Amino acid sequence: MCGIIGKAGVGNVTPELLEGLGKLEYRGYDSAGIAVLRNGRPERVRAVGKIANLRDALDKTPLEACVGVGHTRWATHGAPSEANAHPHNSPDGKFTLVHNGIIENADALKRTVLADDKEWESETDTEVVAHLLQKFYTGDVVKALAETQKHLKGSYALGILCADYPDTIFAAALGSPLIAASVEDGSCIASDVGAIGGTLSEVYKIENREICMLTRDEIRFYTPDGEPCEKATVTVVPDALSMDKGGYEHYMLYEIMQQSSAVRKTLEPLLAGDFDLGFDDAFVRDGLKEIRVVACGSAYHTGLAAQLLFERFCRVPCRAEIASEFRYADPVVDEGTLTVFVSQSGETADTLAALRLAKERGAKVLSIVNVRGSAIASESDAVVYTNAGREIAVATTKAYSAQLAVFYALAVRFAAARGTIDEARRAELTHELAALPDKIQEAIDRAEAPARKLAETMAATQDIFFIGRRLDFAASMEASLKMKEISYINSQAYAAGELKHGTISLVEQGTPVVSIAMDGGMSDKTHSNMSEVRARGALTVAVTGDKNADAFADADVLLTMPDTDEWFTCSLAVIPMQLLSYYTAKNRGCDIDKPKNLAKSVTVE
Ligand code: F6R
């Protein structure tokens, strides 16, 4: 993961680099560092932990120069220590560089091409790049970089300073996002356009081992072999990377509160029929043999819901797949398969690799993405954007809800095209879908106080279980992930009927078991499972719709949500669960927006 930034400018670039790193912190926050070239000498300051620590370190040791690079790290090789923090130097001090990605053959290079190198400052894979540059450098950095790239396997976005070129940044990339852009007072590189100040619209995307050389006045490109080449800019519509918390203590709470609007903005164009799917209803009716929804984490959980929608209601086989498994599973997909890739960031390495595989095998590739212009969006046959606005808290909430909404709209459309619902039912579902944003708001309003109260009990627990059936199981999976990732409580989700096949042995006096029972067709069954854990001393919490509230009156804690059509229940079930996780984590004093060991954008496999 990691984020990199660099600027060749006019005045002191350190404040801008620091600000840009703040905007890239969603990519990792294990350590951060900045290096500049002052009078042709590299100087660097690094700090373990968040950018705030780097800021403090820079207060003590200021860096002032008009050329520099910066890095925020999510550790892959080597602990989050200062020695492993970027920028890294070559042994002779000539090269200083920042890297996002993974050099997969770093160990092999140390044993072969770099076998004579004995001085290693860090445990990182990155340092081999600095050593290779030193090895191949004979006065021409572009040539050294071209030669270095021939040896690198894996993925990288690199920002490089060379002491012999005091006003220049060199950059190269393979499989990791990197843009270069001219700004009013210089030239910049960054992992994300949003990290560069101002209102950029034209940028260069550095890809496929291309080499880029930037000074404050110009940006030049070279082929992977080091020959000069022309490159065109692309137009970007940068997502506003507002750092506003809307008056809330955490981004996560702010984003939970924004869900009604995120879902409304996502549904509006879809309800108006504004879909560009890259195929028509005739394909959905006659050509579509199977759907695979491929994603990671919470995005995969939306696939669990989609799987039921497409199979039960549209009568088309559908499987939700974890992207990191799909990409190595040798999947059987062809032109009759619709593969749907779901991603908030649009950058997740496994999802992107899975997409490329599906494309290679001739499947139709549709993606559901939040960040415009991201790699997953750019490489898909068609994209449906979730209009959730930029999500900053690491734990997703509003993007997840918006992804679900896209699946609802798709399912209604597919069911109509395949004739599994009639016009009256379609109108009914469309009407209910249009009402969903208001119901989400009502769910938030209703759940806030009871979730906060329940969180007082949850904060002291060791384990939590979430159970549900069908769409309620999909919601349980998301509820459980939310809880464990931000509160660090061990939580597990189970299909309610599965608990007694082993896991129930973990239920003890007072163990919280949350039964999600929004699906009216399944609520009796889930109620029985709730009774089974209650008989074994569990603290029972039930989440259900108004219509079923009486049936669950025997739960120790009952959270009732507005009713909706059974197709859409997942969206309302997760709301109290997100709030419960949030307040539980808060009571436990956790770092809610930046949970330990995580990053918002997972650009390594
Ligand atoms: C959990 C969470 C992650 C992401 C996952 C995929 O709260 O946010 O599980 O859902 O890392 O990320 P994207 O959607 O960016 O592909």
Side-chain angles (χ1 to χ4, degrees):
M1 288 106 83
C2 310
I4 72 171
I5 188 162
K7 180 162 185 185
V10 185
N12 179 18
V13 293
T14 304
E16 258 181 79
L17 295 179
L18 198 56
E19 197 185 324
L21 286 180
K23 292 179 177 164
L24 291 172
E25 207 173 13
Y26 72 90
R27 304 175 71 88
Y29 35 82
D30 286 332
S31 65
I34 287 179
V36 297
L37 279 177
R38 189 149 53 162
N39 305 324
R41 276 171 37 88
E43 293 177 8
R44 68 179 171 182
V45 171
R46 303 176 293 172
V48 174
K50 302 204 177 115
I51 307 296
N53 298 352
L54 178 64
R55 189 170 289 120
D56 291 346
L58 282 163
D59 283 345
K60 290 190 197 111
T61 316
L63 291 178
E64 273 191 37
C66 51
V67 175
V69 291
H71 187 270
T72 180
R73 175 170 190 244
W74 186 84
T76 60
H77 294 55
S81 62
E82 190 172 326
N84 288 330
H86 300 219
H88 289 289
N89 289 335
S90 59
D92 62 2
K94 194 149 272 188
F95 292 97
T96 300
L97 59 91
V98 289
H99 167 219
N100 165 36
I102 289 191
I103 306 303
E104 288 172 358
N105 58 338
D107 287 343
L109 289 168
K110 284 186 183 178
R111 284 193 305 270
T112 55
V113 195
L114 299 171
D116 293 338
D117 290 22
K118 302 293 175 222
E119 269 181 62
W120 295 94
E121 266 191 354
S122 75
E123 303 156 274
T124 65
D125 52 331
T126 302
E127 207 184 339
V128 298
V129 184
H131 282 238
L132 288 173
L133 284 168
Q134 175 177 321
K135 186 175 183 68
F136 298 126
Y137 182 63
T138 52
D140 182 338
V141 180
V142 170
K143 292 275 180 245
L145 191 44
E147 194 53 38
T148 294
Q149 291 198 90
K150 287 183 192 157
H151 291 81
L152 300 180
K153 287 197 182 133
S155 62
Y156 51 84
L158 296 166
I160 302 162
L161 303 177
C162 174
D164 293 343
Y165 293 76
D167 58 355
T168 308
I169 298 173
F170 298 88
L174 177 71
S176 294
L178 187 61
I179 58 111
S182 292
V183 293
E184 213 173 302
D185 58 346
S187 306
C188 296
I189 52 165
S191 301
D192 177 340
V193 64
I196 299 176
T199 47
L200 270 185
S201 61
E202 294 295 314
V203 303
Y204 299 98
K205 283 193 172 180
I206 310 175
E207 292 171 299
N208 307 326
R209 298 195 167 89
E210 284 163 343
I211 296 169
C212 177
M213 189 171 115
L214 306 93
T215 61
R216 74 176 192 205
D217 300 318
E218 63 172 344
I219 301 180
R220 287 198 210 158
F221 281 91
Y222 300 85
T223 65
D225 294 326
E227 298 305 324
C229 66
E230 295 297 315
K231 190 165 168 82
T233 55
V234 292
T235 306
V236 289
V237 187
D239 283 353
L241 203 58
S242 159
M243 301 311 265
D244 176 31
K245 284 189 193 155
Y248 292 94
E249 191 180 345
H250 296 99
Y251 288 112
M252 182 176 175
L253 189 56
Y254 184 31
E255 288 161 5
I256 289 173
M257 298 301 172
Q258 289 174 314
Q259 288 184 105
S260 168
S261 134
V263 169
R264 180 173 284 110
K265 284 187 192 150
T266 299
L267 282 175
E268 255 162 20
L270 304 180
L271 289 174
D274 184 8
F275 279 96
D276 180 9
L277 302 177
F279 50 82
D280 56 15
D281 284 355
F283 168 76
V284 178
R285 192 178 56 240
D286 305 320
L288 180 60
K289 300 288 170 272
E290 186 203 19
I291 302 174
R292 304 279 190 103
V293 179
V294 187
C296 301
S298 295
Y300 162 71
H301 295 159
T302 69
L304 294 176
Q307 173 179 285
L308 276 154
L309 292 170
F310 290 131
E311 283 219 3
R312 281 189 67 212
F313 303 127
C314 309
R315 307 313 295 164
V316 57
C318 178
R319 253 157 73 183
E321 310 242 19
I322 294 170
S324 55
E325 290 295 310
F326 178 89
R327 65 182 288 194
Y328 295 115
D330 198 6
V332 181
V333 294
D334 58 27
E335 62 285 355
T337 313
L338 170 63
T339 46
V340 185
F341 296 87
V342 191
S343 179
Q344 188 285 130
S345 62
E347 271 197 51
T348 304
D350 284 317
T351 310
L352 184 58
L355 180 157
R356 289 177 178 151
L357 176 68
K359 220 171 166 179
E360 214 176 274
R361 298 196 170 185
K364 295 216 163 2
V365 171
L366 173 68
S367 63
I368 299 173
V369 173
N370 198 40
V371 176
R372 277 161 207 276
S374 52
I376 291 175
S378 319
E379 294 194 27
S380 301
D381 298 336
V383 191
V384 179
Y385 281 109
T386 45
N387 296 320
R390 198 62 181 256
E391 201 175 53
I392 293 177
V394 164
T396 183
T397 51
K398 61 177 181 172
Y400 165 88
S401 288
Q403 289 159 358
L404 277 180
V406 174
F407 276 123
Y408 299 154
L410 281 177
V412 173
R413 183 170 173 153
F414 283 17
R418 292 174 72 85
T420 56
I421 55 170
D422 60 18
E423 195 39 48
R425 178 74 175 126
R426 178 190 176 129
E428 187 183 39
L429 285 166
T430 306
H431 182 262
E432 190 56 29
L433 204 43
L436 194 60
D438 286 342
K439 292 196 177 180
I440 288 175
Q441 188 56 51
E442 190 183 335
I444 293 170
D445 295 343
R446 281 204 213 176
E448 233 253 313
R452 195 177 330 149
K453 184 157 189 312
L454 180 57
E456 290 166 17
T457 316
M458 292 294 173
T461 194
Q462 303 265 330
D463 307 289
I464 303 182
F465 295 94
F466 295 86
I467 59 172
R469 289 168 182 259
R470 295 201 303 211
L471 285 164
D472 292 331
F473 171 56
S476 300
M477 289 289 285
E478 176 58 9
S480 173
L481 179 61
K482 245 9 16 126
M483 183 59 84
K484 72 183 89 169
E485 71 180 323
I486 60 166
S487 75
Y488 316 143
I489 293 173
N490 176 32
S491 85
Q492 296 192 42
Y494 273 89
E498 183 65 11
L499 203 63
K500 58 180 153 305
H501 295 285
T503 310
I504 202 164
S505 64
L506 295 172
V507 172
E508 289 176 358
Q509 196 62 36
T511 306
V513 179
V514 181
S515 304
I516 299 184
M518 292 289 293
D519 179 343
M522 285 285 106
S523 56
D524 287 354
K525 305 275 177 203
T526 305
H527 185 267
S528 302
N529 301 129
M530 184 178 93
S531 303
E532 288 158 11
V533 293
R534 203 167 130 90
R536 284 153 182 89
L539 172 80
T540 55
V541 179
V543 179
T544 191
D546 287 332
K547 272 196 258 165
N548 282 320
D550 289 347
F552 282 85
D554 56 347
D556 295 315
V557 179
L558 178 61
L559 300 165
T560 52
M561 295 295 106
D563 286 312
T564 182
D565 194 280
E566 91 177 278
W567 289 36
F568 312 137
T569 49
C570 218
S571 292
L572 301 180
V574 295
I575 300 289
M577 300 295 93
Q578 295 168 342
L579 287 162
L580 180 63
S581 303
Y582 171 80
Y583 284 114
T584 303
K586 189 168 170 203
N587 290 339
R588 287 165 67 90
C590 299
D591 190 344
I592 294 178
D593 286 333
K594 294 195 174 81
K596 68 171 189 264
N597 301 337
L598 295 175
K600 185 74 182 155
S601 213
V602 185
T603 57
V604 294
E605 66 168 299

